[in-house]
């Protein structure tokens, strides 16, 4: 295995982990209070949200990978490069860049879909079953629509549901998280890992970064308009180093022959 | 309630590391030497010792409140442990000495945990005094749990078998989830001001025995019915014992609810 491929693998996994880590900061996580309509965001923990969007991203990325491999989507040379494990050598990367982009985009689509379903379908329940307006307590006016927020927040709560700005934010989060997860998967799969191994190692890397990022925001955030979002530089450092180390393990595994 | 001295976490770490490795090695050695698969259940014993170690580390970290819920830390541990375990087992495979694998896996997991623990405390500024050592411990525990339950399911822990029997078949999905569950669940269920180490760790044993039964059932597909039956039956007996022990602990720390009857209809 040539050293440039290994370097690409390490850097690629570091970038993928970084994307996941930043993506988590965009996802409106409300935790248990949000599940009781007492805080803004999606009513579950960061880990579960990241897992659900990441898993759907992986499934869609895996589907497109399979379609390229089986020839349904014609891309000459891709399956040979995967089978010989040279997809992420310098020449393999040049020849198959578009296929890799296609797979990453598939991951993005899956993750964004999952995020928007989680955000909007819950809103239907909040609005029509619980009967609360969708407002954020962190800002006075919604940065996207300009709607007044503070008048509609029930006293003693921190907002309800997922308002427009948080939905937009969740889409950005899905975009980054999906890209990171799919990139991680295709790097591992293209370097010779079997499908199951690549998927679960990718999920492992995804978990490490999403949990580290959620420690940074101490569990809850509303999106890019939340003051906690200013903590993102810390997560950039932490997630890059953590994924770099994981990337080194993966590269060592590839060096020893998967 | 009388104050009972808590077990030291370094002692639990010792039991987890030494006991875990001994049982994993014993299961593999007995299986290969006698050319049978009946000793696979010993892997689960090693995993249970590691679960107790990990569950104690989880409760010591999460006592400070991490803000994201206890389950996140179990997922973090398995995320760290998975790649480290694979690399460690591959080193054993590469060196040609299978027995090097688990020790290398544990060592790499411990290093990984040290790095993540340092990042959490120094970069993310979580300021939890037990974070550094706790992260090292949960990563190591996750690594031993993965190997222990792999032995339970597949009868061996070699890299090639792990890839073909556990990863490629998809059994890694339940291994990842029900493997992590006994480590993260006990403190999540028992937390609170009246949390008691012995009760939490009893629940850890009980939960890991439930996982053992599940992995025993999975091993029908990977080994054979006889070994599976041994794991399941022993697991069920031990689980019943652990469940009763946990129930006793719960009753000890419970408060009696006395029936006083309904309020009188008219005030006297």
């Amino acid at each position: 295995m040539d050293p440039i491929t290994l370097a690409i693998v390490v850097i690629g996994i570091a970038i993928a982990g970084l994307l996941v880590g930043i993506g988590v900061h965009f996802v409106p996580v409300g935790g248990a209070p949000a599940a009781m309509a007492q805080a803004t965001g999606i009513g579950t923990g960061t880990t579960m949200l990241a897992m659900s969007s990441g898993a759907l991203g992986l499934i869609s990325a895996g589907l497109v990978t399979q379609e390229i491999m089986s020839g349904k989507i014609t891309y000459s040379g891709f399956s040979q490069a995967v089978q010989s494990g040279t997809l992420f050598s310098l020449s393999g990367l040049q020849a198959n860049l578009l296929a890799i982009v296609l797979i990453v985009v598939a991951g993005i689509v899956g993750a964004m879909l999952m995020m928007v379903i989680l955000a909007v379908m819950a809103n239907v329940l909040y609005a029509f079953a619980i009967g609360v307006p969708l407002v954020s307590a962190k800002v006075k006016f919604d940065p996207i629509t300009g709607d007044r927020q503070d008048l509609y927040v029930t006293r003693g709560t921190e907002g309800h549901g997922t308002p427009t700005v948080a939905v937009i934010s969740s889409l950005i989060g899905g975009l980054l998280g999906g890209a990171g997860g799919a990139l991680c998967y295709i790097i591992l799969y293209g370097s010779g890992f079997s499908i199951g191994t690549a998927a679960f190692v990718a999920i492992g890397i995804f978990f490490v970064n999403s949990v580290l990022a959620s420690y940074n925001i101490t569990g809850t955030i509303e999106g890019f308009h939340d003051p906690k979002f200013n903590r993102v530089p810390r997560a950039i450092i932490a997630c890059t180093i953590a994924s770099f180390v994981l990337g080194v393990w993966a590269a060592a595994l590839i060096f020893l022959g998967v | 309630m009388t104050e009972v001295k808590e077990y030291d976490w370094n002692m639990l770490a010792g039991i987890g590391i030494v006991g875990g490795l001994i049982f994993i090695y014993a299961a593999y050695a007995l299986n290969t030497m006698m050319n049978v698969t009946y000793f696979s259940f010993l892997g689960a014993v090693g995993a249970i010792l590691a679960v107790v170690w990990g569950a104690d580390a989880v409760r010591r970290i999460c006592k400070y409140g991490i803000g994201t819920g206890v389950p996140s830390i179990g997922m973090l541990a398995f995320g760290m442990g998975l790649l480290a375990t694979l690399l460690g087992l591959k080193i054993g495979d590469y060196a040609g000495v299978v027995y090097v694998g688990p020790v290398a896996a544990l060592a790499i997991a411990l290093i990984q945990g040290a790095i993540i623990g340092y990042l959490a405390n120094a970069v993310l500024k979580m300021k939890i005094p037990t974070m550094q050592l706790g992260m090292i411990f949960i990563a190591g525990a996750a690594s031993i749990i993965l190997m222990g339950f792999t032995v339970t399911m597949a009868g061996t822990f070699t890299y090639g078998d792990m890839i073909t029997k556990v990863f490629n078949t998809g059994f890694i999905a339940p291994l990842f989830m029900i493997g992590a569950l006994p480590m993260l669940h006990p403190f999540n269920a028992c937390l609170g001001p009246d949390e008691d180490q012995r009760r939490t760790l009893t629940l850890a044993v009980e939960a890991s025995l439930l996982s053992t039964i599940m992995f025993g059932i999975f091993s029908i597909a990977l080994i054979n019915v006889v070994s599976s039956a041994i794991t399941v039956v022993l697991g069920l007996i031990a689980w019943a014992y652990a469940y009763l022990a946990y129930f006793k602990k719960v009753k000890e720390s419970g408060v009696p609810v006395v029936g006083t009857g309904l309020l009188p209809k008219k005030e006297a």
Side-chain angles (χ1 to χ4, degrees):
Chain A
M1 194 57 76
D2 70 309
I4 294 174
T5 310
L6 295 178
I8 290 174
V9 167
V10 174
I11 293 167
I13 290 180
I15 293 171
L18 177 63
L19 287 173
V20 174
I22 300 173
V24 168
H25 286 73
F26 281 96
V27 178
V29 206
M36 298 182 284
Q38 292 180 356
T40 310
I42 302 167
T44 182
T46 335
T47 327
M48 301 308 134
L49 268 178
M51 175 66 193
S52 57
S53 72
L56 200 64
L58 275 182
I59 291 169
S60 47
L63 175 75
V64 171
T65 313
Q66 179 56 32
E67 299 223 314
I68 299 177
M69 292 288 284
S70 66
K72 261 190 188 171
I73 299 172
T74 322
Y75 200 99
S76 60
F78 181 82
S79 58
Q80 288 88 338
V82 169
Q83 267 146 20
S84 59
T86 55
L87 184 61
F88 280 86
S89 63
L90 217 46
S91 57
L93 202 58
Q94 273 168 351
N96 297 300
L97 195 60
L98 273 176
I100 294 165
V101 170
L102 189 65
I103 289 161
V104 171
V105 169
I108 290 174
V109 170
M112 282 173 89
L113 259 180
M114 191 71 201
M115 272 302 160
V116 83
I117 289 168
L118 282 169
V120 176
M121 289 316 286
N123 272 351
V124 174
L125 294 177
Y126 283 129
F128 295 108
I130 305 178
V132 287
L134 310 170
V135 283
S136 155
K138 291 274 164 74
V139 282
K140 203 170 176 188
F141 295 97
D142 188 317
I144 307 276
T145 60
D147 293 338
R148 190 79 188 257
Q149 304 283 307
D150 55 341
L151 292 177
Y152 301 95
V153 177
T154 315
R155 272 192 203 167
T157 70
E158 292 171 30
H160 321 281
T162 319
T164 314
V165 62
V167 173
I168 303 289
S169 189
S170 78
L171 281 172
I172 302 172
L175 191 148
L176 294 171
L183 189 61
C184 198
Y185 169 73
I186 188 62
I187 286 173
L188 295 167
Y189 183 55
S191 324
F193 282 79
S194 66
I195 295 174
T197 321
F200 264 86
V201 171
I203 285 180
I205 295 172
F206 204 95
F207 265 136
V208 169
N209 289 295
S210 63
V211 175
L212 278 179
S214 64
Y215 284 167
N216 191 31
I217 54 174
T218 58
T220 57
I221 193 167
E222 281 189 14
F224 56 76
H225 58 289
D226 192 308
K228 277 185 192 171
F229 191 74
N230 300 332
R231 294 185 196 167
V232 80
R234 289 189 210 161
I236 292 178
I237 301 171
C239 290
T240 314
I241 299 174
S243 336
F244 184 83
V245 175
L246 287 164
V248 170
W249 300 153
L253 205 49
I254 294 162
F255 178 74
L256 295 179
V258 185
Chain B
M1 220 180 90
T2 49
E3 276 296 311
V4 188
K5 201 169 167 283
E6 288 198 347
Y7 294 117
D8 183 40
W9 70 340
N10 290 320
M11 188 193 82
L12 288 172
I15 294 173
I17 293 175
V18 177
L21 286 178
I22 284 177
F23 277 106
I24 291 169
Y25 280 133
Y28 180 79
L30 289 171
N31 270 350
T32 43
M33 274 176 205
M34 298 189 190
N35 206 13
V36 289
T37 50
Y38 307 136
F39 293 101
S40 307
F41 71 91
L42 285 175
V45 181
I48 290 166
L49 293 176
V51 164
V52 171
W53 170 32
D56 185 63
V58 166
R59 69 179 271 282
R60 280 179 209 253
I61 298 174
C62 294
K63 235 180 353 197
Y64 291 88
I66 47 175
T68 60
V70 181
S72 68
I73 206 160
M75 292 292 123
L76 175 62
F78 269 64
M80 293 190 285
L82 188 67
L83 202 47
T85 308
L86 273 180
L87 179 59
L89 294 179
K90 180 71 206 178
I91 288 172
D93 188 52
Y94 190 77
V97 188
V98 181
Y99 293 93
V100 174
V103 176
L106 181 65
I108 295 166
L110 295 177
I111 295 168
Q112 174 76 50
I115 294 167
I116 300 279
Y118 176 77
L119 286 174
N121 250 358
V123 181
L124 300 177
K125 303 211 168 50
M126 293 188 71
K127 296 197 185 97
I128 294 178
T130 50
M131 183 59 107
Q132 179 74 64
L133 200 54
M135 278 288 174
I136 299 177
F137 281 2
I138 57 166
S143 176
I144 293 186
I145 295 169
L146 278 169
M147 288 184 289
F149 283 137
T150 301
V151 172
T152 315
M153 270 201 293
T156 133
F157 58 72
T158 58
Y159 178 79
D161 283 334
M162 193 165 180
I163 292 289
T164 51
K165 288 185 175 169
V166 178
F167 277 87
N168 291 355
T169 49
F171 278 112
I172 179 65
L175 178 58
F176 201 91
M177 291 297 165
I178 9 185
L181 209 60
M183 201 167 88
L184 60 90
H185 169 64
F187 186 71
N188 206 17
C190 295
L191 61 81
D194 195 28
E195 196 262 345
D196 169 41
Q197 191 196 29
R198 286 169 199 239
R199 179 155 45 104
T200 309
L201 296 186
T202 316
L203 182 57
V205 174
E206 190 259 2
S208 51
L209 283 163
L210 273 183
S211 297
T212 306
I213 296 168
M214 290 305 295
F215 291 124
I217 296 170
F218 296 154
S219 68
I220 295 176
L222 295 175
I223 319 177
N224 55 40
V225 182
V226 182
S227 324
S228 164
I230 294 174
T231 312
V232 172
V233 169
L234 288 177
L236 272 173
I237 295 168
W239 173 75
Y241 183 76
Y243 181 80
L244 291 175
Y246 176 63
F247 194 60
K248 204 172 134 224
K249 288 267 174 209
V250 171
K251 275 209 289 196
E252 271 172 21
S253 43
V255 180
V257 179
V258 185
T260 55
L262 292 172
L263 285 171
K265 287 233 169 86
K266 279 179 192 169
E267 278 189 44

